[in-house]
Amino acid sequence: MTARGAQTGEDAGKAAGTRDTEDLDVEEALALANGSAGHFPGGGDLPGGGHLPGPGFGPGRLPGGGPAPAADGAASPGYATGSGPLPYGTPYASQADPRTTSWPRAREIAGRAARGIARRSPVSVALDAALGLVLAEPVAALTDLPSFDTSAMDGWAVAGPGPWDVREGGSLAGDAQPEPLTDGTAARIATGARIPQDTTAVLRTEHGRTDAKGRLHSVRELSHGQDIRPRGQECRSGEHLLPAGTLVTPAVLGLAAAAGYDTLTAVPRPRVDVFVLGDELLIEGLPRDGRIRDALGPMLPSWLRALGAEVAAVRRIGDDAKALQKALSRSVADLIVTTGGTAAGPVDHVRPTLHSLGADLLVDGVDVRPGHPMLLARTKEDQHLVGLPGNPLAAVSGLITLAEPLLRVLAARPAPEPYTLPLRDGVHGHPHDTRLVPSVLRGDHAVPLRYNGPAMLRGVAAADALAVVPAGGLRAGQEAELLDLPWAAAGIGVCFT
């Protein structure tokens, strides 16, 4: 177990293990009540024996063709080979249908997809724009650090044994070469100032006193070289400081500047286009006339930047298949992120549009709640698309599952170290699928939050991490894998620029 320390946030409220089923989405509640996996809304069996067909690719397969290749060139995992292509309109199913992709495998596929793209050329970036990038070249010192002998304290530069005669003037930080000292003399000096030639030591202000004749005495034993930072104490010119692959943090920027750099050579940020779909979305004011506020348009750009991306465009397209096709075909981004339209309803155009563009579907549905209708497609040789469900927390699940691994590899960021914590409260599990549950970190425990339905953001807005809950759930005290949210993780994740 690795604890990440106490964090603040909304109180956990009602224990997850005692939640009413109304806190689950409808499908989960039905599945828990009936002891079955349920089926994807818009495709599959309905309670009472009805059937609702819906358009969509067979998972891992393009309509009317062979299996869509996974990132490593293999057929999408879980596809029942030898059964022939799935016809257009085949219902999308949950984990009960082996054609969908497990949550860990989906993340692996997303990372492998990015590794299949040719490495992008490094860029030279000014220091003030390099935060959050990854070094493409090592950093070696361009100068000695410090570049000259400097004082580590405010006080007096002294020469020889005391007492000392204090001469007029002194040395301040930024002054040119001061006059040399002679034995028995001293001069005032400031922290960071250049040491006069022939200085024996620096006597701190609090360790010196003057007598009636104005002579300086030390009230403590003074050793040779005391409180002097010698030239090259931290590094010598040409010395290796940081390897390629280092994440540029605020401390890295400071070290690079001190070592003489104005720019850094880094891996460029992946460019992302965000297309917000849905005629029901409002961009201002209160919900009205059956329409709701768009939560994803304001949320996704900052989240993607925190994952290391450059958001090139955010467009609201609505439920317009032709406009969507035109936008996808014209995008030159490394990654396209769409919101909504991944299900099988009458205006869910993402899958049919991908089919019309000849895209390769790498992941078509993931065994995770919320967010199971998410998808990953290769739209061009050097471009991918992540289709997020329209429900806000389901979209977050899609970001963490598919967009984060892909962007991390494209940006050459290091993978976060996995860690677990025991849960303070039990969490209901889906009978077959993984669940991602917003949680806060309290000392050496994780506390699941109550508001975790697919359309809810109240829980994740207060969360530090998402708890990975396997099928069947977890009891209080059991260890759960935790996925830090970008701004709650230690390090560069707090950067949104």
Side-chain angles (χ1 to χ4, degrees):
M1 179 187 77
T2 304
R4 300 301 284 264
Q7 306 248 347
T8 59
E10 176 197 32
D11 191 88
K14 196 172 180 180
T18 59
R19 291 180 306 150
D20 296 330
T21 54
E22 67 185 12
D23 289 330
L24 304 172
D25 63 277
V26 173
E27 187 179 359
E28 286 179 332
L30 286 172
L32 289 169
N34 299 331
S36 64
H39 295 276
F40 175 65
D45 297 328
L46 292 172
H51 186 81
L52 180 61
F57 300 164
R61 178 165 292 258
L62 296 178
D72 55 0
S76 290
Y79 182 72
T81 56
S83 60
L86 294 172
Y88 186 72
T90 299
Y92 180 102
S94 71
Q95 165 73 1
D97 187 333
R99 294 171 296 185
T100 56
T101 305
S102 71
W103 181 76
R105 178 60 175 154
R107 300 193 82 208
E108 179 186 348
I109 290 172
R112 291 175 67 92
R115 285 193 289 272
I117 298 176
R119 187 181 180 91
R120 294 171 301 155
S121 299
V123 292
S124 180
V125 184
L127 292 186
D128 62 1
L131 187 64
L133 298 182
V134 170
L135 295 179
E137 295 179 356
V139 169
L142 302 179
T143 182
D144 295 342
L145 284 182
S147 301
F148 42 82
D149 294 348
T150 62
S151 176
M153 292 288 169
D154 292 333
W156 296 268
V158 299
W164 302 274
D165 292 320
V166 181
R167 75 184 186 190
E168 294 293 328
S171 299
L172 299 175
D175 285 352
Q177 181 68 50
E179 290 293 322
L181 292 177
T182 58
D183 280 353
T185 62
R188 292 292 302 187
I189 193 166
T191 302
R194 191 165 190 152
I195 295 291
Q197 185 178 338
D198 299 324
T199 295
T200 303
V202 170
L203 177 64
R204 301 185 185 191
T205 300
E206 61 269 27
H207 295 167
R209 66 174 180 82
T210 55
D211 59 23
K213 296 180 179 181
R215 304 196 75 194
L216 176 67
H217 298 259
S218 177
V219 299
R220 294 190 181 184
E221 184 178 350
L222 189 64
S223 60
H224 190 279
Q226 183 170 320
D227 288 325
I228 294 175
R229 293 188 63 214
R231 176 174 181 166
Q233 181 186 54
E234 186 169 2
C235 65
R236 288 292 184 180
S237 180
E239 188 174 339
H240 180 85
L241 298 178
L242 297 167
T246 298
L247 185 66
V248 179
T249 64
V252 167
L253 292 176
L255 176 60
Y261 285 83
D262 298 318
T263 62
L264 291 171
T265 302
V267 178
R269 300 180 191 275
R271 289 171 54 86
V272 179
D273 282 342
V274 178
F275 299 148
V276 180
L277 313 181
D279 289 339
E280 76 280 12
L281 302 177
L282 297 169
I283 62 173
E284 61 183 6
L286 296 174
R288 60 185 183 274
D289 302 328
R291 303 178 70 191
I292 60 174
R293 278 294 298 271
D294 170 28
L296 297 180
M299 178 174 71
L300 290 182
S302 293
W303 203 310
L304 289 163
R305 293 186 191 106
L307 294 177
E310 173 192 345
V311 179
V314 179
R315 291 186 54 192
R316 290 175 170 80
I317 294 178
D319 294 318
D320 187 329
K322 290 184 178 179
L324 176 61
Q325 180 165 347
K326 181 182 292 186
L328 295 184
S329 61
R330 292 183 176 181
S331 173
V332 295
D334 301 296
L335 174 65
I336 300 169
V337 174
T338 62
T339 71
T342 60
V347 292
D348 291 328
H349 300 305
V350 174
R351 284 179 176 80
T353 302
L354 290 173
H355 172 53
S356 68
L357 293 173
D360 295 328
L361 208 55
L362 307 181
V363 174
D364 189 3
V366 178
D367 303 324
V368 66
R369 307 301 174 104
H372 55 291
M374 67 181 73
L375 61 85
L376 171 66
R378 182 187 295 114
T379 48
K380 299 174 185 175
E381 184 177 351
D382 58 352
Q383 183 187 74
H384 290 81
L385 178 143
V386 169
L388 303 177
N391 276 326
L393 189 57
V396 168
S397 175
L399 273 181
I400 298 298
T401 302
L402 298 177
E404 187 276 332
L406 192 144
L407 288 171
R408 172 166 33 86
V409 174
L410 287 178
R413 284 188 169 198
E417 288 291 329
Y419 75 102
T420 64
L421 285 176
L423 295 179
R424 194 190 73 179
D425 308 308
V427 181
H428 289 303
H430 189 274
H432 303 286
D433 298 348
T434 299
R435 288 189 67 204
L436 301 181
V437 179
S439 303
V440 293
L441 308 184
R442 302 288 196 208
D444 59 353
H445 285 74
V447 183
L449 295 175
R450 176 181 181 186
Y451 298 99
N452 54 44
M456 296 180 179
L457 287 175
R458 184 173 174 180
V460 75
D464 303 311
L466 298 180
V468 181
V469 179
L474 291 171
R475 299 185 306 275
Q478 283 191 288
E479 298 270 335
E481 179 184 356
L482 276 299
L483 304 174
D484 283 326
L485 298 179
W487 46 90
I492 198 62
V494 297
C495 170
F496 292 90
T497 57

